[in-house]
Amino acid sequence: MQNNAIFCLEMSNFAQKEYDTIVCGAGPAGLMAACTLGRLTGTARRVLLLDKKAPWKEPIFCAEAVSADRLAALWPIDPAFVRGRLSGIYFTSPKRYRAEFYSKNCGLILNRALFHKSIADAAQNHGVECHFDALIHKLERTESGWNVQVSQGGESVTLTAKTIIDASGPSCRLTRNIPCLEGIETGDTDLESGIFAVADGIEHSPEHIELFFGSEFQDGYGWIFPRDGKEVNIGFVLGKSVKNGEPLRQKLMNFIAKNYPKATVKAVYGGMIACGQSNKPLAKCGLFKAGDAASCVNPISRSGIVESLLSGKIAAEAVDQWLKDSGENRGAIEEATLARWMKALGKNHLQIANAKAGFNSITDEQFDKAAKRLSRLPREKQTLIRIFWNVLWSCPSVIWKMRSFLR
Ligand SMILES: Cc1cc2nc3c(=O)[nH]c(=O)nc-3n(C[C@H](O)[C@H](O)[C@H](O)COP(=O)(O)OP(=O)(O)OC[C@H]3O[C@@H](n4cnc5c(N)ncnc54)[C@H](O)[C@@H]3O)c2cc1C
């Protein structure tokens, strides 16, 4: 019997059963949270990072574009995880008028798998115990903290932790129906569907992302993002209230066939994007939310990589304070987590979220008019201020669109 128990523990492969912090999910938010916590606490704390899959082994449902400056402020850019560098965006209207925003080295296309690997390696070097084959079944509040039910290699184990960081992404329900967490952000504010194909045979600029607007992509937008000079990521996101009879995959295939008849589709992926900002608490009872699980995505551009890194960092810093505190100020530390996020990006996201309805009401004619005007300007004349006045003159509501994408 005893031998069996030891066998189970070895099979489950955890160094211990009791941790200071268990980070649930190893996307950008969880990886950054674990790495930051490891860096802040060293070997003084037992930090465990769990994911059901290795974050660099399976396809990642993402177009992989980030702002170079904003990423560099959070994580050193290593050419090893950069697929390509961006120098601009094409905004394309329904009638295919194209406005170009040129800004040298404004963004990067990541190889997210290798990017995840670099953060995971850093977390492990900071003493974080990582398991990328551990499915989390349930979180349960106890008197002294949290129970975490996990299965690994067919074996189940219950681990305990004083604090939890929930970075399990947009559709996970780990924190639902736990009475002490009532009112906390659940990561499903404005949940929207995105789909894309990896394809080649599509003529494109390897230095630009191209965004398509109009009723074809209602309350969202379409995109072509370069990957390696040959392949592209081509896809779209639609607003959550869009009732479209046509399945997303079919819609994508039709878009590709109609506009890029020479394209070869290699694979199709889809996922949910949590793109609404709320004012709900981000931490309660020693549980902290980060990334898509905390609805930290930019509500209009739908970018969430850098946002998740930042929110993971904020959650980890709060957990570090919480663990150091004797108990008196823990409630205040939890409350301050939302305030810190709001100051860093959340307030800005709230404004963007509030502008979303107005932005979504821009008509195809308005998009065409603004894009046609702008497309006539030579690239060197497309300074931000000139674009701003041009667009304002053509269609005031488009200003909101420019504002959120150029942020
Ligand atoms: C189609 C599409 C395109 C996108 N394109 C871009 C883009 O170009 N740029 C950009 O900035 N953002 C983009 N995003 C958004 C970006 O991908 C997300 O915002 C970002 O991945 C969120 O990171 P995260 O760490 O919060 O969650 P995730 O990356 O979703 O990670 C959550 C992790 O938790 C794990 N997990 C969940 N439940 C469990 C469980 N029960 N047990 C164990 N592990 C679990 C999952 O396996 C996963 O690894 C895109 C999203 C989609 C869907």
Side-chain angles (χ1 to χ4, degrees), residues 25 27-29 51-52 61-65 112 134 136 168 291-292 304-305 308:
D51 201 303
K52 59 190 174 196
F61 305 145
C62 183
E64 305 183 305
R112 250 183 85 172
I136 305 157
S168 57
D292 279 15
I305 300 172
S308 293

Side-chain angles (χ1 to χ4, degrees), residues 291-311:
D292 279 15
S295 284
C296 287
V297 174
N298 180 307
I300 292 188
S301 74
R302 278 83 164 178
S303 64
I305 300 172
V306 169
E307 293 73 4
S308 293
L309 295 176
L310 182 58
S311 91

Side-chain angles (χ1 to χ4, degrees), residues 1-236:
M1 190 67 192
Q2 203 186 1
N3 280 349
N4 270 349
I6 291 167
F7 183 62
C8 283
L9 201 62
E10 280 174 354
M11 278 298 285
S12 69
N13 216 15
F14 293 100
Q16 54 228 331
K17 283 190 77 179
E18 292 172 11
Y19 292 87
D20 291 298
T21 305
I22 296 183
V23 181
C24 304
L31 287 164
M32 186 66 166
C35 190
T36 305
L37 205 48
R39 181 175 50 78
L40 291 173
T41 64
T43 48
R45 303 281 179 201
R46 294 153 303 168
V47 181
L48 178 67
L49 172 63
L50 299 176
D51 201 303
K52 59 190 174 196
K53 58 185 176 58
W56 55 87
K57 280 196 180 150
E58 290 179 34
I60 293 158
F61 305 145
C62 183
E64 305 183 305
V66 290
S67 144
D69 292 349
R70 292 182 58 214
L71 178 65
L74 288 160
W75 195 259
I77 295 171
D78 180 343
F81 58 65
V82 175
R83 285 188 201 276
R85 292 183 181 267
L86 298 170
S87 292
I89 305 174
Y90 293 128
F91 290 95
T92 301
S93 75
K95 283 193 178 155
R96 305 293 187 252
Y97 295 115
R98 213 190 222 186
E100 179 190 1
F101 295 81
Y102 182 77
S103 170
K104 195 153 178 55
N105 290 328
C106 60
L108 302 172
I109 299 292
L110 297 178
N111 179 327
R112 250 183 85 172
L114 295 180
F115 176 57
H116 287 179
K117 180 89 170 76
S118 86
I119 314 178
D121 287 348
Q124 262 166 325
N125 288 339
H126 285 303
V128 175
E129 184 182 334
C130 301
H131 293 264
F132 300 125
D133 55 355
L135 176 67
I136 305 157
H137 290 284
K138 197 175 169 190
L139 301 178
E140 207 172 30
R141 180 78 176 136
T142 64
E143 272 179 25
S144 55
W146 291 90
N147 280 344
V148 182
Q149 282 180 28
V150 180
S151 67
Q152 190 187 42
E155 304 290 337
S156 287
V157 63
T158 300
L159 307 168
T160 68
K162 291 178 194 153
T163 56
I164 299 285
I165 296 178
D166 173 22
S168 57
S171 325
C172 188
R173 296 172 187 269
L174 285 178
T175 55
R176 304 272 162 88
N177 303 323
I178 299 178
C180 78
L181 296 182
E182 203 174 317
I184 201 169
E185 173 59 56
T186 46
D188 57 0
T189 311
D190 228 352
L191 211 50
E192 298 177 341
S193 309
I195 187 164
F196 66 87
V198 174
D200 62 21
I202 293 184
E203 207 178 305
H204 66 286
S205 155
E207 275 188 87
H208 288 76
I209 60 177
E210 180 163 14
L211 304 175
F212 299 83
F213 296 102
S215 53
E216 191 173 8
F217 304 112
Q218 203 188 329
D219 298 353
Y221 62 92
W223 68 73
I224 292 179
F225 286 14
R227 269 168 74 85
D228 55 4
K230 198 164 169 269
E231 285 179 351
V232 299
N233 175 319
I234 177 167
F236 61 81

